[in-house]
Amino acid sequence: MAEEPIVDMQQLLDNVGGDENLANMLLARMRQDMPQRMAEIRAALANGDCAAAHASTHPLKGGLASIRASEAQSVARLIDDAARDGDLETARSLMSQLEEAIDRLDGFIKEQTNPSLSAGR
């Protein structure tokens, strides 16, 4: 089975009418928002606040879906579902997976939105 891309750029481009500038703007905006969202989720889980975890994870999940970051979106969905259901243990246990997926996504977006970084390779 083929490995899924970090971001399905073809689907993202299809959704924005092929506008690469708009796609990159959406990616850059997500990259800008991710640290705050992740901090909110970490704090909510550390404080045992499932409602706050859900409130922070839900929009992150939606943003990840909109840029077609399926791996990160899938893990965020699992955390969101667990938090919504009051399952703090499951939400906490998935956090390292989300952190790893977000780290990979961050690197992808950085490279995608700064072509000079990949040109030097």
Side-chain angles (χ1 to χ4, degrees), residues 87-104:
D87 186 352
L88 188 61
E89 185 177 334
T90 297
R92 284 178 174 161
S93 73
L94 292 164
M95 198 60 197
S96 65
Q97 281 181 266
L98 183 59
E99 298 272 4
E100 291 169 9
I102 292 294
D103 285 348
R104 284 189 290 277

Side-chain angles (χ1 to χ4, degrees), residues 1-23:
M1 189 167 138
E3 187 175 313
E4 279 191 65
I6 295 170
V7 171
D8 187 328
M9 285 302 296
Q10 190 57 55
Q11 279 189 3
L12 176 55
L13 286 168
D14 288 350
N15 287 347
V16 296
D19 186 336
E20 287 185 38
N21 288 330
L22 179 56

